Amino acid sequence: MSDTMITAARAILAQNDRGTYTVPTQGLYPFQWNWDSCLSAIGFGHFDEARAWTEIETLFAHQWDDGMVPHIIFHEFDDGYFPGPGVWKTGREVPTTGITQPAVAGFAVRRLFERARDSDMARSRARALLPKIAAWHDWFFRCRDPQGTGLVAIIHPWESGRDNSVDWDAALDRVPTEGVEPFTRRDTQHANPAHRPTDDQYNRFIWLVQHFRDMGWDNAKLHDASPFRVVDPGFNAILIRACADLAWLAHALDMPEIAARAQMQADKGIAAMETLWSDTHGQYLCFDRAIGALVPSPSIGGLLAAFAAIPQDRAAAIAQRIATLGEKLPHLVPSHDPSAPEYDGKRYWRGPIWLIVNYMIADGLSAAGQTAVAERIVKDSLRLIDQGGFAEYYDPITGEGCGGGSFTWTAAMVIEFLTGERQPA
């Protein structure tokens, strides 16, 4: 069964391969997405090392001068996606968006480097990428943590990768909709509208894009000028983990300045994460920087924090929280607590399961010694493939595949689950 599943997963990667980058899925997402690419590279790395490195190199070829790596690169024209380059107007030779996504590149590069069969190629390609990844991390702490707290804020829900999470509802409600240019959504032509963000949410998403565009995409100003400024524990955990992995890589490659700065960023971030912990919820919470308050939303963002090297007692508490969720559901890990009134098992990030998040949570919990819950997550993930195919995401109760089909990063995670080695703790 596992060989058959791996063969099917590899076929999906081949189907969505555009030579130097992959698209998440045909139709719904026809361009290169930032964290999709980095996680997909992990899957490629099991059978085509050179192609895996190329995936990440293509992404960083479009890094901005200030260090930001955009969340979408519009390599080829395709009017089947909104908002396209004509809305973003970032002024790039190859059009990109003007916001970013979770910083998984440092983690992905370490995975490729540690598993490399061609060590000379891995050393050469990693050495070329490390200064670029370091510049991206520096950009985060410079432009998204101007007060030097050790944690960064997202300024648009799309940056989190969890576009319409319940976590954003209150902050997004403060975003106006007046003056939003008329638009036609394309996502609902490719996927069930009942599974996608609402029109009201989209209006607020686009208002933020227009607002940042009107400011000339000046990243030195956007944080303070955004009415949406949220510190997401999951987003920060990914960045912190990437900083720690970058420090490890830089040490291995004799790049001491990068190693020291990255380790400092990781250590400061881990300490600052404690400000987001909630004993009441048994997990980390988002922090709404615009109003200076925690967001009492029991979402997967606070569980994804386990991906970083959080304290052992916090990892144990998160494992217990997930185990409790597992008593209510046949499949783990839902993107929102099913007992919460906002839960919606089929609507994007308001309940469904995503294999990439399952992978990161399981990886972190395994490293923290919480192996029973980690193994349950992996087992559930593979059962979902049997039930729902290689979908974008899944209903936690029925196991139904939702969103886009033949999804690249889902296929990559299946390859990783079935053939990947666990990184040593």
Side-chain angles (χ1 to χ4, degrees):
M1 176 63 74
S2 62
D3 288 346
T4 301
M5 199 176 281
I6 290 171
T7 299
R10 287 179 60 167
I12 289 171
L13 264 62
Q15 173 184 317
N16 293 332
D17 189 354
R18 298 296 179 267
T20 57
Y21 66 95
T22 53
V23 299
T25 189
Q26 298 186 58
L28 183 59
Y29 302 114
F31 307 109
Q32 183 180 20
W33 261 257
N34 185 323
W35 72 324
D36 292 69
S37 266
C38 294
L39 292 166
S40 297
I42 294 173
F44 274 116
H46 288 290
F47 61 92
D48 190 340
E49 274 186 76
R51 180 64 186 80
W53 288 105
T54 297
E55 184 78 22
I56 299 175
E57 289 163 351
T58 300
L59 176 67
F60 277 87
H62 301 278
Q63 185 171 28
W64 286 23
D65 291 343
D66 65 1
M68 188 193 79
V69 183
H71 99 290
I72 304 174
I73 296 103
F74 300 105
H75 290 283
E76 298 180 358
F77 176 76
D78 190 318
D79 63 0
Y81 176 82
F82 175 86
V87 176
W88 294 92
K89 296 180 181 176
T90 54
R92 310 287 297 177
E93 183 177 352
V94 175
T96 74
T97 59
I99 58 175
T100 193
Q101 268 194 326
V104 292
F107 163 73
V109 168
R110 177 173 176 178
R111 276 281 149 98
L112 294 179
F113 183 85
E114 284 190 300
R115 295 173 177 174
R117 296 173 291 280
D118 186 338
S119 58
D120 288 342
M121 179 182 72
R123 291 184 70 86
S124 172
R125 297 177 86 160
R127 281 191 67 86
L129 279 167
L130 255 59
K132 299 177 181 181
I133 298 172
W136 187 23
H137 294 178
D138 291 345
W139 171 86
F140 270 116
F141 292 108
R142 183 177 68 252
C143 295
R144 298 303 179 77
D145 183 23
Q147 300 302 315
T149 67
L151 299 174
V152 304
I154 57 170
I155 61 171
H156 194 295
W158 287 340
E159 291 196 313
S160 69
R162 302 188 295 118
D163 299 15
N164 66 326
S165 170
V166 177
D167 293 350
W168 322 136
D169 287 358
L172 203 57
D173 281 347
R174 297 195 300 271
V175 174
T177 57
E178 294 79 12
V180 172
E181 298 162 1
F183 62 86
T184 301
R185 292 178 62 173
R186 304 290 186 178
D187 58 316
T188 50
Q189 298 172 13
H190 299 286
N192 186 336
H195 298 174
R196 302 292 299 172
T198 65
D199 286 343
D200 180 69
Q201 287 168 331
Y202 243 82
N203 273 302
R204 297 173 198 277
F205 295 160
I206 299 304
W207 187 93
L208 287 168
V209 171
Q210 292 179 191
H211 180 54
F212 303 149
R213 184 187 69 196
D214 291 346
M215 297 183 67
W217 298 108
D218 184 349
N219 275 306
K221 299 177 180 177
L222 297 187
H223 174 279
D224 290 350
S226 178
F228 183 96
R229 301 191 301 279
V230 181
V231 177
D232 173 8
F235 188 96
N236 276 274
I238 292 171
L239 176 58
I240 291 164
R241 172 68 177 268
C243 288
D245 287 340
L246 184 67
W248 184 94
L249 283 160
H251 179 74
L253 294 168
D254 194 24
M255 304 171 81
E257 291 184 7
I258 289 178
R261 190 165 71 255
Q263 192 61 58
M264 178 191 69
Q265 291 165 340
D267 292 344
K268 186 174 182 179
I270 286 290
M273 284 283 284
E274 284 300 293
T275 63
L276 306 181
W277 181 259
S278 169
D279 284 326
T280 301
H281 293 82
Q283 65 171 78
Y284 295 90
L285 299 178
C286 290
F287 180 79
D288 189 333
R289 194 171 273 173
I291 63 170
L294 290 171
V295 180
S297 173
S299 84
I300 204 165
L303 306 178
L304 180 52
F307 189 51
I310 56 174
Q312 290 288 318
D313 60 333
R314 301 303 192 211
I318 287 176
Q320 180 56 55
R321 172 102 174 87
I322 294 172
T324 300
L325 290 171
E327 295 171 0
K328 307 174 187 177
L329 297 165
H331 308 94
L332 290 172
V333 180
S335 50
H336 202 70
D337 189 324
S339 64
E342 307 90 352
Y343 171 84
D344 185 338
K346 289 183 172 59
R347 190 179 290 276
Y348 221 39
W349 288 92
R350 303 178 78 85
I353 293 168
W354 300 72
L355 258 64
I356 49 107
V357 180
N358 273 10
Y359 167 61
M360 289 187 278
I361 292 174
D363 182 271
L365 289 179
S366 180
Q370 301 295 327
T371 54
V373 173
E375 289 169 2
R376 161 80 192 270
I377 292 169
V378 172
K379 181 180 178 181
D380 284 4
S381 297
L382 295 173
R383 281 197 301 119
L384 285 168
I385 302 298
D386 280 334
Q387 291 183 239
F390 291 88
E392 183 178 2
Y393 52 90
Y394 303 86
D395 185 304
I397 296 174
T398 67
E400 176 187 349
C402 302
S406 299
F407 220 81
T408 302
W409 69 7
T410 302
M413 293 302 95
V414 167
I415 295 170
E416 174 70 2
F417 281 137
L418 291 173
T419 61
E421 309 88 21
R422 291 285 174 208
Q423 182 171 308

